[in-house]
Amino acid sequence: MRINMKFTTKGKAAIENFTNEELLEIFARYIKTLTKKYDIEIEVPVEINQNIVADGTVVAMAQNVKCDVDTFFKELGRDIKVPLKKRLGAKLDNVFKTEVIE
């Protein structure tokens, strides 16, 4: 299963303050933490996510999904907001919207 996380306008403004490597590391760290709570395997492939800021999207691949994908990504969005908000120095609402491609 492929999941596209498309950044909102405010989300795009926030990610401009990060390098691609930093964004991949942030997503990997928060996904790893959440997978302890949710029964899902998620990977954010580096080869697909070469230029997150320019694309405005992070692509994740999920397998062995045994939980509600929407709930997982809502919680991920809340978690990801923390480091983005710190560096942006402004209030953020939702930072991305998910599009699930089976």
Side-chain angles (χ1 to χ4, degrees), residues 7-11 74 77-78 81 92-97:
F7 286 95
T8 62
T9 305
K10 286 187 178 183
K74 277 182 189 171
R78 278 195 305 268
K81 212 182 335 184
L92 281 175
D93 294 322
N94 292 337
V95 290
F96 62 79
K97 295 181 180 177

Side-chain angles (χ1 to χ4, degrees), residues 26-37 42 72 76:
I26 289 167
F27 272 90
R29 186 173 352 127
Y30 284 102
I31 285 171
K32 183 178 179 184
T33 301
L34 281 178
T35 54
K36 293 175 184 173
K37 181 178 173 183
I42 300 241
F72 177 87
L76 179 63

